[in-house]
Amino acid sequence: MADAATISWNASQGNYFRVTLAGNRTINGGTSPKDGQRVMFEFIQDGTGGRTVTFENGTTHFRFGSDTIRADCTLSTGVASTDYVAAVWKQAASQWDVQACSRGF
């Protein structure tokens, strides 16, 4: 994925998406998902660190279950630290259900 104020991505291009964050960002719901598709996002802090990601809500959006680790998915803040977010597309709800957030690699 390309770094930008709002990060756009296309689910038809794969299941693994990586970006180095150079500022606080919003990630949109993407385009072209398939029912049951699983994706993994890798967020890497740049040389400054402390960057945040907001998961966009809207027509296509993310939702977090009550058991999702770190339900708000707050990223780690260390310079060059890496965090992962896994989600599955639920066509009936038109939503990405976030299944896991793993921080601090």
Side-chain angles (χ1 to χ4, degrees):
M1 295 184 300
D3 186 44
T6 298
I7 298 171
S8 298
W9 57 288
N10 184 332
S12 70
Q13 294 180 342
N15 295 313
Y16 194 88
F17 300 92
R18 174 186 296 131
V19 64
T20 299
L21 304 170
N24 295 335
R25 304 297 189 226
T26 298
I27 183 166
N28 69 20
T31 58
S32 304
K34 303 278 188 222
D35 191 34
Q37 182 177 2
R38 298 177 192 282
V39 296
M40 176 72 69
F41 299 101
E42 179 182 350
F43 297 107
I44 305 166
Q45 295 284 344
D46 66 2
T48 300
R51 311 303 189 175
T52 63
V53 169
T54 301
F55 293 84
E56 181 179 77
N57 289 315
T59 305
T60 305
H61 62 280
F62 297 86
R63 69 180 179 176
F64 295 82
S66 60
D67 288 346
T68 303
I69 297 172
R70 300 195 184 279
D72 61 357
C73 231
T74 303
L75 300 183
S76 53
T77 58
V79 170
S81 61
T82 300
D83 302 308
Y84 298 91
V85 177
V88 63
W89 178 251
K90 186 172 183 178
Q91 185 66 41
S94 293
Q95 295 175 321
W96 288 102
D97 286 348
V98 176
Q99 297 176 318
C101 296
S102 297
R103 302 173 0 117
F105 293 92

